[in-house]
Amino acid sequence: MNRPITYLCNVIVTLLLIFSLAATAVLSVIQCYSLRADTCIALLGKHQLADRVYDNLDSYYHEQANTSGIPASVYMDSISKEQISEIIHASVVNAFAYLHGADTMEQVETDFSKLEENLISFFRTYAEENGYEKDAAFEETVDTAVA
């Protein structure tokens, strides 16, 4: 009587091992494919993330123009889709490098000097047009906006 039960147990264990082995193989292939920066960057390009980020920034600055008094063009003229794409690319590469064992996660350095120039120019032009005195309070406001 023990023979049929033993065979049944052996069949069940064999099936579990086969499915476990197949699942391990599938997960290994998925892990090798999906945990690469190139794959993520290709997906981001396919879904046009840089364009979406640029459009969201544009709509955000247009909405905030009423409350801040700074036109959206001051911001958007100094930010390009290529610059956003480079920031995203560098962030993804750094994140995957950290994921795969890098000691620290590098900060993405971005040059926003054109944005700073546009903000300073806007405030100075606005002050000249409206007759505001460029005193310490004015400079502090400009520094706060630029920071």
Side-chain angles (χ1 to χ4, degrees):
M1 273 322 232
N2 287 338
R3 288 256 187 227
I5 292 175
T6 303
Y7 289 133
L8 183 62
C9 289
N10 286 340
V11 168
I12 291 173
V13 169
T14 302
L15 289 174
L16 286 174
L17 288 173
I18 289 171
F19 285 123
S20 296
L21 183 62
T24 302
V26 168
L27 289 175
S28 296
V29 169
I30 290 173
Q31 180 183 11
C32 287
Y33 177 72
S34 64
L35 288 180
R36 292 181 27 219
D38 297 339
T39 304
C40 185
I41 291 169
L43 286 172
L44 295 176
K46 178 182 175 185
H47 294 288
Q48 301 172 343
L49 183 66
D51 294 338
R52 289 181 176 187
V53 170
Y54 185 85
D55 293 341
N56 283 339
L57 282 173
D58 189 40
S59 65
Y60 173 77
Y61 287 127
H62 274 92
E63 290 172 6
Q64 295 300 315
N66 293 330
T67 57
S68 68
I70 302 172
S73 61
V74 171
Y75 294 103
M76 298 311 295
D77 289 346
S78 60
I79 300 172
S80 68
K81 290 181 182 179
E82 291 78 24
Q83 186 179 16
I84 292 172
S85 180
E86 290 171 7
I87 293 168
I88 292 170
H89 183 274
S91 297
V92 168
V93 168
N94 287 338
F96 274 97
Y98 184 73
L99 181 67
H100 291 296
D103 293 336
T104 59
M105 192 159 169
E106 301 282 329
Q107 285 293 97
V108 177
E109 297 294 327
T110 308
D111 182 25
F112 288 119
S113 59
K114 184 165 172 51
L115 177 60
E116 292 173 2
E117 289 172 13
N118 285 356
L119 283 170
I120 292 170
S121 173
F122 168 76
F123 277 110
R124 294 196 190 283
T125 304
Y126 185 82
E128 289 172 6
E129 289 174 355
N130 294 301
Y132 288 122
E133 184 180 330
K134 297 177 186 174
D135 56 359
F138 172 79
E139 293 299 329
E140 183 178 334
T141 304
V142 171
D143 291 341
T144 302
V146 170

